[in-house]
Amino acid sequence: CVRASSSMAKLVEEMNPEGSRYQILLSCPSGLSPSQVSVDFSKSHDRVPHSDPVLEDSISEVWDKRTQGNSSLFNGQKFRYGSYCLDGDGGTNEVPHVCLRLGLTDYRTFVGTNLSSLWEKFIVTSEDDSMRCRHTSSPLGNGAVIETSDKKVIVLHRSNNVGEFPGHYVFPGGHPEPTAVGIDYHQPEIDVQTSELLNKKVTQEMFDSIICEVVEETGIPASSLSQPLFIGISRRELNVRPAMFFYLKCSHHSDDIPRLYSGAADGFESTQLHTVSLDELKMMTSRMPGCHHGGFALYELMLQHISRT
């Protein structure tokens, strides 16, 4: 696993339109299995309220405006990305391990901070990444780079009804869900054993949730998918939106995928599915949200790693 370099981020910024720009926070090109990933879920990784009361009050105002006349919006809980801790990246034969530091946030706060027109006012000038984004909701999204048996990659074309990046190309994905592991709020007092058990459940949700998202959005049955491998975290420059990405193999040929997609449970967010070559995928990246463009970059780094080994 490697941290991103500032020169790489600068080059990306110069080459792409604003919404498509990204920063690689963490690259794990060897692909990490569940045993190589852990979670520290704690209130200490929650968002810190901003000291400016007017800015803080704007969160409610933005949410109220967004929900007026829109009955489909609801305020669900999300895991908040705080930072990560990396072990085993010193060039030794040590097996790499990543610990994700996660707190709790909700969709309302996401809309009122990251998605607000005032989002840059919530950013702190700091070299420390967790300090820089301490006032933003930063819910951790997820995405899956899925290879078919004939080495095509699955991409969805987002519908025009979605709140973020309508009409753009994305990898299948969404969010790991706190409610899936019984989390509605932080428990006020928690012993070490209960905390460890909860952390294990949240870690498993990171991997289970991406399978669920792929099945719902593409119609591919879980039995046709390999175990997900965690390949890193990217964040779009526009409103600092973070997402973790996974690599999965699908046992179906690309010709089978449209038929499976026609029976997908979640038909709201996308209007079309594409199975594309690496070169075709590269051409689509300028029409991807930055976090997903970063997902493509993480996939490329994985391919480069495989070619060297």
Side-chain angles (χ1 to χ4, degrees):
C1 292
V2 292
R3 293 173 175 84
S5 71
S6 57
S7 58
M8 182 196 294
K10 192 172 188 301
L11 182 65
V12 165
E13 193 171 310
E14 288 166 356
M15 288 170 64
N16 295 288
E18 186 185 21
S20 184
R21 293 175 192 164
Y22 65 88
Q23 182 183 2
I24 299 289
L25 300 182
L26 173 67
S27 170
C28 302
S30 60
L32 304 189
S33 65
S35 64
Q36 294 171 278
V37 179
S38 62
V39 164
D40 172 26
F41 174 68
S42 167
K43 190 175 176 62
S44 63
H45 308 312
D46 281 9
R47 172 184 175 268
V48 176
H50 201 280
S51 57
D52 180 348
V54 175
L55 189 59
E56 198 63 17
D57 287 347
S58 74
I59 295 172
S60 296
E61 291 165 14
V62 169
W63 177 252
D64 290 344
K65 278 184 183 174
R66 281 286 295 272
T67 51
Q68 275 175 2
N70 190 342
S71 58
S72 65
L73 281 181
F74 71 98
N75 186 27
Q77 298 278 31
K78 302 294 176 192
F79 288 110
R80 179 181 185 273
Y81 172 72
S83 61
Y84 67 85
C85 174
L86 185 59
D87 299 317
D89 66 329
T92 65
N93 291 326
E94 203 178 342
V95 175
H97 181 273
V98 170
C99 178
L100 302 174
R101 295 172 178 142
L102 305 180
L104 203 56
T105 187
D106 56 35
Y107 189 68
R108 170 185 169 276
T109 314
F110 174 48
V111 167
T113 58
N114 296 81
L115 296 190
S116 167
S117 59
L118 303 173
W119 71 271
E120 287 172 293
K121 293 184 182 294
F122 287 98
I123 303 298
V124 176
T125 304
S126 174
E127 290 295 312
D128 181 334
D129 193 68
S130 58
M131 179 66 70
R132 182 173 176 258
C133 298
R134 68 201 301 248
H135 301 309
T136 59
S137 168
S138 300
L140 182 62
N142 60 21
V145 181
I146 309 160
E147 266 185 17
T148 61
S149 63
D150 54 327
K151 300 289 186 186
K152 295 290 181 70
V153 176
I154 294 170
V155 179
L156 296 173
H157 193 197
R158 282 171 73 77
S159 79
N160 290 319
N161 301 319
V162 293
E164 287 184 84
F165 288 89
H168 281 61
Y169 296 114
V170 292
F171 297 109
H175 298 86
E177 298 291 348
T179 53
V181 286
I183 297 172
D184 293 309
Y185 50 85
H186 287 292
Q187 296 176 20
E189 289 186 26
I190 187 166
D191 59 60
V192 173
Q193 194 173 359
T194 308
S195 176
E196 286 178 359
L197 184 62
L198 190 59
N199 283 338
K200 283 181 180 175
K201 282 184 177 179
V202 175
T203 304
Q204 191 58 48
E205 169 60 9
M206 297 296 116
F207 285 83
D208 289 350
S209 61
I210 195 61
I211 293 282
C212 288
E213 295 286 359
V214 169
V215 171
E216 286 177 8
E217 294 192 353
T218 68
I220 299 169
S223 58
S224 302
L225 298 167
S226 67
Q227 175 182 266
L229 292 176
F230 172 61
I231 58 171
I233 302 170
S234 76
R235 184 172 62 200
R236 71 171 175 246
E237 291 284 343
L238 181 71
N239 63 41
V240 293
R241 175 74 156 96
M244 62 193 307
F245 281 87
F246 297 85
Y247 167 70
L248 296 90
K249 286 184 179 177
C250 168
S251 60
H252 287 276
H253 191 278
S254 59
D255 292 346
D256 298 336
I257 306 300
R259 174 182 56 82
L260 296 169
Y261 176 66
S262 66
D266 184 0
F268 167 73
E269 292 196 357
S270 67
T271 55
Q272 204 172 355
L273 177 147
H274 304 272
T275 52
V276 297
S277 67
L278 185 62
D279 287 341
E280 288 170 322
L281 183 56
K282 197 174 289 190
M283 297 291 286
M284 293 169 135
T285 55
S286 64
R287 285 288 294 163
M288 281 183 163
C291 41
H292 284 256
H293 190 175
F296 169 75
L298 290 167
Y299 175 54
E300 274 200 314
L301 289 167
M302 187 199 82
L303 294 176
Q304 290 166 16
H305 173 81
I306 291 169
S307 69
R308 288 196 299 267
T309 55

